[in-house]
Amino acid sequence: MNRVALSLAAAATALTLSCDSQRPVAPQSTLSLRKIATGADNTCLDVAAANHKGQKDAPVILRCAIQAPGPAVLTQGQQGWVDGHNYYLADQSNKGLDVFDADALTFVGRVDGMAGNLPAAGGTALTNGPGPSAIAFSDHNTAWVSDGNSTTWIVDVRSMSIIGSVTTSIPACDGGTATTHYCGRANEIAYDADHQLIFVQNPSPLAVAAPHGAIDTYATFVSAKPPYNIVGTVSFPNRRGQEAPVYNKRTHRWLTAVSGRQVVATVGGVPTVTELHHQYVAVINPEVRPFVVEDSFKIDCTALGITVAVTPANPTGRTFGINDPPNAIGPDQHMVIPGCGRPIIMNAQTGEIISSSITAVGGGNETWYNKGDKNFYTTVGGLVGVIDARSGDLIETVPAVRSIDMPRP
């Protein structure tokens, strides 16, 4: 039997969700499940009945799609997470955390009351960024869900209810009044079981003072134990964005992707780069207070031979692009990180770039390490790329109909 790629299970999966705006949100024992036109005769009910188990070395194929419930059409499924036998989706379209049974391939219910697709940069709680964005688990019963207005919700997944919240705004971007909230959404999030810390990012904060220009991106460390106190923050000078963190259990360090940029001005009538701030993977020791960047692993696209056309706005042809490391570090300390428009294989302990030669699939956004088959997965442009985590070689690409970001554990 071929291995199933459903994008909702940790075993080499790539879930494709579609939407039925007429279905209720209440928990259901069954759900309308349909075929995908891939030549397979199975529906999701057939796959579920067969326990959707396959051979770990078989090719990845797309078998079926779950009809995700409305009321809104699901166009903003931000991030998935697999824990135990459930798949969780940050459903921005429907303002909540969707829960699916990953064995029965059915929708269970939704924890709602979150931001939804709200605008940013407006200064109020309803114009301070969309959500939910990302999910982490501190234990099998407790989910942390990042949301708009610099809010992270703590959710009891047994009772399907919100049991607490944390605000990660700071004075540099929040004036403390109803019209001075400019820290934006809380975005990527992860858990460090060694120190029982949650890492929450605010990637796009703005200054409180008009004209509310971009300020340094920052992250907040929160105790995963009640009453969920903020332990500290770390900022990334001259950077205007960051992507998903991952905790390296071998080195006991946080790794997080930090965006780069360049500033171009006309000097003597010639377009000139006046500031260059490289993108990098920041290394943070959670035992050092205050929190600081201990080391940085630079990803220089130009040094890797990856450039774009020279223009007046970009006189050097330098390109940037960095996105989410995987949910976990792979064998031999390998990790995949989308960079420079392609998946880059990096040594998570040393920062050595092992491979930057894969071009058949783009870098994408979310990535995934599956311990079951020891492969990395990345998705972009309707394709899922399957990469051998040990060798760094591309194994195959799989069409992903209406695909969303890869799930995180």
Side-chain angles (χ1 to χ4, degrees):
M1 175 180 176
N2 287 330
R3 181 180 59 196
V4 177
L6 293 168
S7 333
L8 59 76
T13 59
L15 169 67
T16 300
L17 296 177
S18 60
C19 183
D20 180 353
S21 62
Q22 303 303 312
R23 300 201 68 84
V25 173
Q28 306 162 52
S29 58
T30 60
L31 189 66
S32 174
L33 305 170
R34 66 184 180 86
K35 300 178 183 178
I36 288 291
T38 60
D41 293 328
N42 291 11
T43 67
C44 284
L45 293 177
D46 298 324
V47 173
N51 296 319
H52 52 87
K53 293 179 180 178
Q55 300 299 318
K56 68 177 183 178
D57 296 323
V60 176
I61 62 172
L62 179 62
R63 298 297 297 272
C64 63
I66 300 175
Q67 298 278 355
V73 174
L74 177 54
T75 59
Q76 294 291 326
Q78 292 299 302
Q79 188 188 74
W81 182 285
V82 176
D83 187 82
H85 296 275
N86 285 342
Y87 170 80
Y88 300 86
L89 176 67
D91 183 352
Q92 198 173 107
S93 298
N94 289 288
K95 306 179 182 180
L97 175 68
D98 290 352
V99 184
F100 297 84
D101 185 319
D103 293 325
L105 306 183
T106 57
F107 175 74
V108 176
R110 176 177 295 134
V111 181
D112 56 14
M114 300 181 192
N117 194 23
L118 294 177
T124 71
L126 298 179
T127 58
N128 196 27
S133 293
I135 313 159
F137 270 73
S138 54
D139 58 57
H140 292 302
N141 301 319
T142 310
W144 295 68
V145 185
S146 58
D147 199 11
N149 198 34
S150 305
T151 301
T152 296
W153 304 105
I154 301 101
V155 176
D156 184 325
V157 297
R158 295 168 301 180
S159 63
M160 299 280 286
S161 62
I162 293 173
I163 59 174
S165 66
V166 176
T167 299
T168 55
S169 59
I170 59 175
C173 50
D174 195 305
T177 70
T179 58
T180 55
H181 301 310
Y182 287 97
C183 294
R185 63 174 176 156
N187 188 22
E188 304 291 357
I189 186 170
Y191 177 58
D192 162 11
D194 288 345
H195 305 92
Q196 294 185 290
L197 290 176
I198 295 287
F199 185 120
V200 184
Q201 296 178 339
N202 279 68
S204 306
L206 305 176
V208 174
H212 311 297
I215 62 174
D216 293 344
T217 184
Y218 69 94
T220 303
F221 295 88
V222 183
S223 171
K225 298 180 293 185
Y228 313 120
N229 291 326
I230 290 177
V231 179
T233 62
V234 62
S235 63
F236 306 95
N238 296 308
R239 300 314 194 274
R240 299 295 183 259
Q242 57 178 309
E243 297 296 339
V246 58
Y247 182 72
N248 190 337
K249 295 179 181 179
R250 178 180 295 183
T251 63
H252 307 288
R253 297 294 191 272
W254 279 104
L255 303 173
T256 187
V258 182
S259 301
R261 64 190 179 98
Q262 66 182 9
V263 177
V264 177
T266 300
V267 179
V270 178
T272 304
V273 175
T274 58
E275 296 181 36
L276 174 59
H277 305 290
H278 286 288
Q279 60 193 17
Y280 61 92
V281 176
V283 182
I284 300 169
N285 184 344
E287 296 183 356
V288 173
R289 312 293 169 80
F291 295 100
V292 296
V293 176
E294 177 182 77
D295 200 357
S296 58
F297 301 152
K298 184 169 62 176
I299 299 179
D300 185 340
C301 303
T302 299
L304 294 173
I306 305 167
T307 58
V308 296
V310 172
T311 66
N314 186 0
T316 63
R318 179 176 293 276
T319 187
F320 296 89
I322 191 170
N323 228 305
D324 298 349
N327 53 294
I329 307 302
D332 302 325
Q333 284 288 287
H334 290 185
M335 71 175 183
V336 64
I337 181 166
C340 312
R342 61 187 62 181
I344 289 175
I345 310 301
M346 174 181 281
N347 185 304
Q349 186 168 346
T350 66
E352 175 194 1
I353 293 178
I354 299 166
S355 170
S356 61
S357 60
I358 296 174
T359 58
V361 64
N365 187 0
E366 308 288 349
T367 58
W368 173 268
Y369 172 60
N370 176 37
K371 296 178 182 178
D373 61 7
K374 294 181 172 55
N375 289 332
F376 292 127
Y377 291 80
T378 183
T379 180
V380 63
L383 284 178
V384 174
V386 185
I387 301 169
D388 185 307
R390 190 176 297 277
S391 69
D393 295 332
L394 179 68
I395 299 173
E396 62 179 313
T397 60
V398 184
V401 181
R402 300 173 69 178
S403 64
I404 61 171
D405 286 344
M406 296 300 297
R408 298 181 73 80

